[in-house]
Amino acid sequence: MKRAIVLSGGGAKGAYQVGVWRALRRLGIKYDIVTGTSIGAINGLMMVQKEFYKTYYLWSNITFDSIYDTTFPEKHDTVGELLSVYKKYASQIIKNGGVETRKMALFIDKIFNERKFYNSKINYGLVTFNLSTLKPVMMTKKALKSKNIRDYVLASGTCFPAFKKTAINDEKYIDGGYYDNLPINLAVDLGATEIIAVDLGSIGLTKKNKKDINITYIKPRNNIGSLLLFDKVIARRALKYGYNDTMKVYNKLEGNKYTFKKNHLENNYLTFGDDFVNTCKELLVNKKIIYEGILKLSIFNKLINSNNKQSIIKIMNDNLEYLGKIYGIDDTSIYSINRYNRLLKMKLNESESISVEYINKKIRNKDFKELFNSKSIVKYIYNL
């Protein structure tokens, strides 16, 4: 039995994969093969070398300056600042055929450890695309030599047209995502009988699996940023998301976009489920103006005829996460249900109330724009 880790491309989103790696280490899950495309090929190199802490540190402190000679805007919190970053990419594409990759090559030289790589028992493969011959190229550990490994890893990560093409033996290579952004078949060719596939959901082609094999998919449930936005703050969030999502896949944590300790959502239902259902039914049945005006499109109305425990738990959990979102509660943390509920109550108490007359007027005029996704309307319903 051989387990493979398959890492997709995704540029700056690659921090998420290192968060997954952290969780796999915590779970004691070993692997025999790593295949990757683009940033997955770079992270995969480090996974073969078993240099987790070094990789985690590099991603925790990543900036544009870490991998580019070109100077990019430091701030990108607003739409205008983001546009400035993308305009910088566009100008480099127009002027120079893409961003220069010299510094990225030096970065790969820095992380590659010849002794650790070739002494490791973990096999390795990457995907790139030969633009000169218009054919994909799959390079394995056996074929990669210390004198050319940097070039092929760089070629796999050359996200054309954002980056310049990579030259190898007078031929031009570009990102492997132009052929297979999630190289499961390459892992199978290397002997994998079980696969953990970490798919960053970025643009790229994927091939149909040529063999029926056990695959565990791990995918981001939250926004982990742009593939072109190298920023340590965004990367540190993605590291946490990767860890949380993996622990949820293996049933050690729970939740969807938010993360809760094991069994805490079940305990929340056992504690508050009956009150939740009864209160919602009272609002829906006896407070007609609420039902007809605000909640008729809501999932609450499913409760009227639902006696299914799992359905009620899902509705409760969906609402927990919805409230967390509108109140801006941090979605990277791991919560006990008591702590999360206390945060919700605190945010609720801090929000301003709006008058019943104001709500009724909006409902009569069918003007729901200000009411939906509103902290005030949540407090209004709570007060009722």
Side-chain angles (χ1 to χ4, degrees), residues 132-257:
S132 301
T133 63
L134 297 179
K135 292 181 179 180
V137 175
M138 275 70 73
M139 297 294 290
T140 64
K141 188 176 184 178
K142 184 177 180 180
L144 291 164
K145 308 301 178 185
S146 59
K147 63 181 179 181
N148 69 11
I149 189 169
R150 188 272 305 272
D151 292 335
Y152 280 105
V153 173
L154 179 64
S156 181
T158 302
C159 185
F160 180 79
F163 303 146
K164 283 187 173 182
K165 299 181 285 290
T166 298
I168 304 176
N169 298 327
D170 298 324
E171 294 182 330
K172 301 296 184 182
Y173 289 77
I174 58 174
D175 194 299
Y178 280 88
Y179 177 73
D180 191 355
N181 204 43
L182 190 65
I184 290 173
N185 290 330
L186 176 56
V188 171
D189 290 342
L190 291 175
T193 57
E194 176 188 349
I195 286 172
I196 299 171
V198 187
D199 186 358
L200 298 175
S202 289
I203 297 171
L205 301 174
T206 55
K207 297 299 175 184
K208 183 179 179 181
N209 298 341
K210 59 185 180 183
K211 184 178 180 180
D212 186 16
I213 190 170
N214 179 25
I215 303 176
T216 300
Y217 287 96
I218 301 173
K219 302 177 182 180
R221 306 182 186 203
N222 301 72
N223 180 6
I224 59 172
S226 164
L227 78 164
L228 297 176
L229 208 56
F230 291 89
D231 175 83
K232 63 183 180 182
V233 174
I234 296 173
R236 289 173 184 177
R237 292 183 64 83
L239 287 166
K240 293 179 181 178
Y241 289 139
Y243 177 85
N244 293 349
D245 289 350
T246 305
M247 297 300 277
K248 283 183 269 193
V249 166
Y250 286 95
N251 297 314
K252 300 300 181 182
L253 295 171
E254 52 190 22
N256 184 25
K257 293 181 181 295

Side-chain angles (χ1 to χ4, degrees), residues 6 10 20 38 43 57 78 99 105 124-125 134 165 231 238 257 329 338 342 360 380:
V6 179
V20 173
S38 194
N43 284 334
Y57 175 83
T78 67
V99 176
Y124 175 76
L134 297 179
K165 299 181 285 290
D231 175 83
K257 293 181 181 295
I329 292 177
N338 289 337
R342 285 197 302 269
N360 290 342
Y380 169 69

Side-chain angles (χ1 to χ4, degrees), residues 64-78:
F64 282 110
D65 189 56
S66 303
I67 51 176
Y68 295 148
D69 285 317
T70 305
T71 301
F72 278 80
E74 292 184 5
K75 293 185 177 181
H76 32 71
D77 297 325
T78 67

Side-chain angles (χ1 to χ4, degrees), residues 322 326 369-375 377:
Y322 169 78
I326 69 168
K369 188 175 181 180
E370 291 183 41
L371 301 184
F372 289 117
N373 304 321
S374 164
K375 299 173 188 177
I377 197 62

